[in-house]
Amino acid sequence: MSAMKRKPVQQKSQIRWKRKVLAALLVSLCLASLVLVETHYSRIVSLASLRYRFTVKPKIAFLFVARNRLPLDMVWDAFFKGEENKFSIYVHSRPGFLLNKGTTRSTYFLNRQVSDSIQVDWGEATMIEAERILLRHALTDPYNEKFVFVSDSCIPIYNFSYTYDYIMSTPTSFVDSFADTKEGRYNPKMDPVIPVYNWRKGSQKSLPEFWRDRPFPADPAKEHNCIPDEHYVQTLLAQEGFEGEITRRSLTYSAWDLSASKDRERRGWHPVTYKFSDATPELIKSIKDIDNIHYDTENRREWCSSKGNPAPCFLFARKFTRPAALHLHNLSLLGARRGAKSGT
């Protein structure tokens, strides 16, 4: 009787063991299927990512510093047209200002203002913070590879294709930077944190039209002897040992040497503002013909090149009033490729 009782028990034990083996096999098959699906999914995602990278070109981020609206928006609209996948736009205006259909006629600028803008005052460190805010926003897009600061009175003087190729083909960054030996600018108290041999200066990258509301001082030379955003980036790069990674010149033309002008608006600390009467083919040609820049403080002459060949120094120019810029645009003097028959 005891032998007969053991047999069903053994059979039940074998059945349970077979069920466990079967369950283990099923689990293994499921896991293997999941791994296979995940592998195929990863390959599909990788291929899609590669295809996307080949179809989406690296972009230039245009970082506009403006007071309110952009008075030259339609000039830039013509510049950007047809190149939608190669650029992005960020605008720093006064807090609360919105770029909508009531404040811009260009679809490229609609809602492109940053949401965390600050009040900016000319000649103060707030300009530096505004530029940092723009960079923070632009860096969130992994396809932004180059960053161009633009003021609200700045114009492009070549078409987008030439500008894009010029900037993207250069491995370094363009930063106007030179040793500043002018008396009174360097404060000896900054040493040894910032030694004098690292003290640099450059023209303001993105000065908007804030100064128009400011009265001219009796002696302009005594106001704002040190403009923070003319020194911050340049000196920081020198301090951190990054000057070897930059081309020490600007891509934006400004005319400064007008101290003898009878027009008060054309003297002092601000670059000349070109008006309607100044907007001529000869002016644009003269800017495009510049192929070198001399820095007196370093006795350095910077010969301009692109892809290893001689090239114009400037892709942009400032400061232009709205009538002047639109006049040049209507004459088709802006956005022409290099060497166009119009002389531009």
Side-chain angles (χ1 to χ4, degrees):
M1 294 290 292
S2 60
M4 291 176 68
K5 287 180 180 178
R6 281 199 199 103
K7 195 169 183 180
V9 172
Q10 289 176 350
Q11 288 176 343
K12 288 179 180 180
S13 177
Q14 288 176 352
I15 291 170
R16 283 199 297 270
W17 180 80
K18 288 178 180 179
R19 285 177 178 173
K20 288 180 180 179
V21 171
L22 182 61
L25 286 171
L26 288 172
V27 170
S28 298
L29 285 170
C30 288
L31 289 174
S33 299
L34 286 172
V35 170
L36 188 63
V37 169
E38 186 177 356
T39 302
H40 280 294
Y41 177 75
S42 298
R43 287 178 180 173
I44 291 169
V45 170
S46 297
L47 286 171
S49 178
L50 282 172
R51 286 176 183 172
Y52 187 69
R53 285 183 176 275
F54 279 114
T55 56
V56 177
K57 289 195 172 186
K59 296 188 291 186
I60 299 176
F62 288 86
L63 314 178
F64 288 83
V65 179
R67 180 181 180 183
N68 292 309
R69 65 181 65 208
L70 293 162
L72 311 185
D73 55 351
M74 295 312 295
V75 172
W76 287 96
D77 184 274
F79 174 75
F80 290 131
K81 191 162 292 182
E83 306 290 350
E84 284 74 10
N85 296 325
K86 297 179 184 177
F87 69 90
S88 52
I89 294 173
Y90 304 86
V91 182
H92 185 288
S93 294
R94 63 173 172 78
F97 180 80
L98 298 177
L99 285 163
N100 52 37
K101 291 182 179 180
T103 55
T104 180
R105 293 178 296 159
S106 171
T107 56
Y108 296 120
F109 291 100
L110 286 175
N111 302 313
R112 295 312 302 159
Q113 75 282 342
V114 296
S115 59
D116 52 347
S117 62
I118 61 171
Q119 183 63 43
V120 175
D121 297 308
W122 178 80
E124 303 298 336
T126 48
M127 181 68 77
I128 298 171
E129 183 56 27
E131 292 173 350
R132 287 164 60 96
I133 289 170
L134 284 168
L135 277 174
R136 277 200 299 270
H137 283 272
L139 287 169
T140 61
D141 185 342
Y143 291 98
N144 287 335
E145 288 194 5
K146 300 285 186 175
F147 307 85
V148 178
F149 282 103
V150 188
S151 78
D152 56 8
S153 61
C154 184
I155 60 172
I157 57 176
Y158 291 100
N159 65 20
F160 186 93
S161 178
Y162 180 76
T163 302
Y164 182 91
D165 189 53
Y166 190 117
I167 294 173
M168 286 299 189
S169 65
T170 306
T172 57
S173 297
F174 292 93
V175 180
D176 192 37
S177 176
F178 53 88
D180 185 17
T181 57
K182 197 169 185 178
E183 186 179 353
R185 290 191 185 274
Y186 178 78
N187 189 335
K189 292 182 180 179
M190 292 190 288
D191 189 63
V193 178
I194 302 176
V196 66
Y197 55 79
N198 278 342
W199 183 241
R200 299 286 185 272
K201 185 181 184 299
S203 62
Q204 290 162 314
K205 298 175 291 301
S206 51
L207 177 69
E209 296 292 280
F210 298 116
W211 65 273
R212 287 189 177 278
D213 290 339
R214 297 172 58 86
F216 282 91
D219 183 0
K222 292 182 179 179
E223 186 182 73
H224 287 295
N225 199 34
C226 177
I227 310 297
D229 65 299
E230 290 184 345
H231 297 273
Y232 174 71
V233 171
Q234 295 85 347
T235 302
L236 178 64
L237 292 173
Q239 282 279 98
E240 297 299 322
F242 290 133
E243 283 194 310
E245 299 181 24
I246 66 173
T247 298
R248 294 173 61 199
R249 65 178 177 86
S250 174
L251 293 178
T252 302
Y253 173 82
S254 299
W256 295 86
D257 189 18
L258 292 166
S259 57
S261 173
K262 295 179 181 179
D263 187 344
R264 283 200 83 183
E265 286 191 7
R266 298 183 173 221
R267 289 186 290 171
W269 286 84
H270 310 290
V272 59
T273 297
Y274 293 107
K275 301 175 181 178
F276 183 90
S277 59
D278 304 313
T280 64
E282 291 74 23
L283 171 64
I284 298 302
K285 186 178 186 304
S286 69
I287 296 172
K288 290 186 173 184
D289 284 345
I290 298 172
D291 61 0
N292 72 90
I293 306 169
H294 185 257
Y295 293 93
D296 293 332
T297 61
E298 298 179 357
N299 195 24
R300 169 171 64 95
R301 186 171 297 278
E302 192 79 34
W303 290 94
C304 304
S305 63
S306 175
K307 297 182 179 179
N309 298 314
C313 292
F314 302 110
L315 300 178
F316 313 98
R318 66 184 182 111
K319 303 172 65 171
F320 286 82
T321 63
R322 179 181 171 84
L326 290 177
H327 180 55
L328 291 171
H329 174 64
N330 292 335
L331 292 175
S332 299
L333 295 178
L334 304 181
R337 67 185 185 280
R338 187 187 175 199
K341 290 182 179 179
S342 62
T344 63

